[in-house]
Amino acid sequence: MAKEYSLKNIKIDHEYDVHQELALPPVNEFKRFAKVFFRRPIVGVGFAIVVLLLIAGIFADQIAPHDPYLINLFNTFDAPSARYPLGTDAIGRCLLSRIIHGTRLALLTGVSTVFISATIGITIGLVAGFGGRVAQEVVMRLTDAWISIPAIIIMMLLGAVLGRGIGGMTIAIGVTMFPAYIRLVFGQVLTVKQNDYIMASMAMGDSKVRIVLRHVLPNCLAPIIVVMTMMMGGAVMAEAGLSFIGLGMDPPTPAWGTMTNDGRQWLASYPHLSLAPGAAIVLLVFGFNMVGDGIRDALDPKMRGTLN
Amino acid sequence: MMVNFIIRRLINSVFLVLLVSMIVFTLIRMVPGDPLSALVDAEQQRLIEGGGGMDPEQAQQILDDLRAQHGLDLPIPIQYAQWLGNMIQGNFGRSIVRGFDIATEIGRRMPITLYLGLIAFIVTNIFGIFWGVIAAVRNGTVVDNVVSGVAILGMTVPGFLMAVVLMYILSFTMEWLPLHGFNLPWRGDIGVSVRSTVMPVMVMTFGGIAGMSRQCRSSMLEVINADYVRTAWAKGMREKVVIFKHVLKNGLMPIVSMQGGMIAGIVGGSVIVETIFNVPGVGSLVVDSMTQLDYPVIQAVTVMFTFITVMANLVVDLLYGWVDPRIRHS
């Protein structure tokens, strides 16, 4: 480190006798990001959990020891064994296989929900931010209305309208979560609009679309990414909650929430039937939250340069 | 000025509730299936089991009659106008599927939901602020780490899972608390009522306490490092005076603005908590009505919930202006 700051890097311009700025070595943005991101061990743990669950979800068919839908009524409530690592449930299905296949569902819900809500929210926020007063007023009123209905009621209704599969649930949850992005993007647009470079770009005759795509959107990207990762955990929890009260994914889909609820009937004698899928939910939500925390720190301009 | 602001906000709120009721009214009629055909099917099933049965035309006739009787054959805008007119006169209508008078039913169930919600609200505030302040004042110590760790847990464990774990530990293993049911303390045995309050309230508050203590901790830390607090210390003021008069008063400002979201969270959370613990409140009524597609009940409850959320937000905004003189409403 010390070497880079040595006199060798200070070039003195003899003609004007002016010291040029210290020529610092170029910063590798990715390395810097990774350094801040993994600064806290707990974030590393969360990241590892997400990666592991991602692998489990993608390769569920290869990893799961049994068919998650295969019913075997001669083998119910089997204790954990080498053949069934977590035992079997009330109708003899392999619990571990169901949890592994549930991982795929949970990850799909988390990721696609967030992308749906981000796309809707960002678009509306940008339009409102650059639209006239009427557009702003209408968007803000509608957003207020949407926020005032308890989210769970919208989810239940939309889930019922769209059908209780992965597609329906994803849209139902995604549509309840978009107002957060509207507020974020809208506020950001209003701030960015004040900058001189926007004025310059307008003076140069750039179209609104170009200004939005070239100047406004890149400026909002960091907070949007942070909110997106933070919301993945929330989306997973929302889907699990709906499935738990029987208004989410339809059985026999191996959704973690449904499994937690199914196992509840045998809580006294076979608590793991309910607690194991529950633990999977906690792990994934924890992982998402920690990754979100890490990304927030790593994208925070205040943290820039502190850990070069 | 203040009166003006309140009136404007109240008018806004009325429009908001109207808009919400319109959205819900339309959405619910888009759900595939129909509460009445389910009823007719069930009746048909009963008759077939009894050896009889209606011919399809007769069943269709009954269905059409029922639809006409409940006004479901009219275009949606007209249905909405009729429903709105009745609502304004205080007539919530009757349940399509179960036949009870909705106003009476909500009147019977609402006190339970409000009672649990109010307790949850108070408990969340007391513990959230308490732990947040402690963690901030003892920043970097074991206490701080424990509070922050538990807070992360609180934001990670979904309420229903917390309920299952509590049921397993407190009801099955320890046999301390009842598993299901709830009654208001003034409508029965007080001891039983208190014991059946514990678990629902714990589930309703855990996440809220976690979020609030985190928020409280960070805003307190910001204030603790502010210049005027350093000045107060430098003047040689006592710890109590500094913490209560300078730090707490300013550090709790963001907590006030959190209350609106928290109330919405408690109202929404009651749906899941009441379903799990079989609490006969409004939240479990929603879930039952949703599975049976009982249109008027869902509409009425949604409007009530929205109204509560909107009013709570209004009160919070007013409080915020009162607490923080910098944000007097213009």
Side-chain angles (χ1 to χ4, degrees), chain B residues 242-257:
Chain B
V242 179
I243 287 182
F244 280 98
K245 221 180 140 188
H246 293 272
V247 179
L248 267 186
K249 226 173 146 186
N250 291 294
L252 293 186
M253 228 63 107
I255 302 297
V256 178
S257 63

Side-chain angles (χ1 to χ4, degrees), chain A residues 219-292:
Chain A
N219 265 303
C220 312
L221 221 50
I224 287 174
I225 291 173
V226 173
V227 173
M228 279 173 80
T229 20
M230 294 285 191
M231 284 206 156
M232 279 189 194
V236 170
M237 277 212 248
E239 185 272 311
L242 282 175
S243 296
F244 184 86
I245 56 174
L247 293 171
M249 304 263 193
D250 270 336
T253 318
W256 288 343
T258 318
M259 293 163 71
T260 312
N261 188 37
D262 287 346
R264 196 156 62 106
Q265 300 173 54
W266 294 280
L267 198 57
S269 20
Y270 306 103
H272 70 283
L273 288 184
S274 190
L275 297 183
I281 301 172
V282 172
L283 272 183
L284 183 59
V285 175
F286 174 80
F288 276 148
N289 284 354
M290 286 304 115
V291 170

Side-chain angles (χ1 to χ4, degrees), chain A residues 141-142 144-145 148, chain B residues 7-23 80 306-307 310-311:
Chain A
R141 282 284 155 270
L142 278 175
D144 280 349
S148 317
Chain B
I7 291 175
R8 218 178 52 225
R9 278 293 301 264
L10 278 176
I11 294 172
N12 262 343
S13 309
V14 171
F15 277 109
L16 213 59
V17 174
L18 274 181
L19 195 59
V20 167
S21 69
M22 248 181 255
I23 295 175
Y80 180 75
T306 311
F307 183 74
V310 169
M311 283 301 125

